[in-house]
């Protein structure tokens, strides 16, 4: 059973940075795609980044500011978030999906419990 657990959330001021980590028990990059998804106030859940066999994909809202990466030896996927904005505040989840996934919510199963990100202006 692939099970993600997120960490690294916190409170920062606008323009600041955070790095989220997702440790995935049983992670095998040749078998699963890993995404970072978020639920922000007033919006539906959305996928903001994913990595699929080392290839990243970003939503336009975070492109150029967020970077997804993996460290397979540690069963970990990271989300480096720079130039954070108040509208980035929300609960961030890591989830796995089948290979060749994109940024559609329904493609992801095995969600972690989430980590809170708060960006103040």
């Amino acid at each position: 059973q692939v099970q993600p657990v997120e960490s690294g959330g916190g409170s920062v001021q606008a323009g600041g940075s955070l790095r989220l980590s997702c440790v995935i028990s049983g992670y095998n990059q040749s078998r699963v795609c890993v995404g970072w998804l978020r639920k922000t106030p007033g919006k539906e859940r959305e996928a903001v980044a994913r990595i699929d066999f080392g290839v990243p994909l970003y939503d336009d809202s975070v492109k150029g500011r967020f970077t997804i990466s993996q460290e397979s030896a540690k069963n970990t996927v990271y989300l480096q978030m720079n130039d954070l904005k108040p509208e980035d505040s929300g609960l961030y989840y890591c989830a796995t999906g089948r290979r060749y996934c994109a940024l559609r919510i329904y493609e992801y199963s095995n969600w972690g419990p989430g980590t809170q990100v708060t960006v103040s202006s």
Side-chain angles (χ1 to χ4, degrees):
Q1 179 75 18
V2 177
Q3 183 60 50
V5 178
E6 308 92 339
S7 63
S11 297
V12 296
Q13 291 190 325
S17 298
L18 285 172
R19 187 176 80 158
L20 306 184
S21 299
C22 174
V23 177
I24 308 171
S25 60
Y27 178 43
N28 185 331
Q29 68 165 343
S30 68
R31 293 188 176 184
V32 298
C33 165
V34 180
W36 281 99
L37 309 96
R38 68 185 181 187
K39 177 66 176 74
T40 58
K43 294 184 67 176
E44 298 291 325
R45 290 181 305 171
E46 60 180 344
V48 296
R50 72 95 167 107
I51 191 162
D52 185 20
F53 208 65
V55 179
L57 179 67
Y58 301 97
D59 184 77
D60 286 346
S61 64
V62 305
K63 198 173 294 182
R65 301 188 297 123
F66 291 11
T67 303
I68 189 170
S69 61
Q70 65 188 35
E71 190 170 359
S72 299
K74 295 185 177 181
N75 290 345
T76 302
V77 173
Y78 302 99
L79 185 69
Q80 177 66 43
M81 306 187 296
N82 297 329
D83 191 23
L84 282 161
K85 304 176 180 180
E87 53 264 40
D88 293 318
S89 297
L91 193 57
Y92 282 71
Y93 302 92
C94 176
T96 62
R98 291 185 177 183
R99 288 291 317 281
Y100 310 111
C101 69
L103 295 176
R104 294 177 285 262
I105 289 291
Y106 64 81
E107 295 180 289
Y108 296 91
S109 57
N110 298 316
W111 291 55
T115 186
Q116 180 68 37
V117 171
T118 303
V119 185
S120 58
S121 57

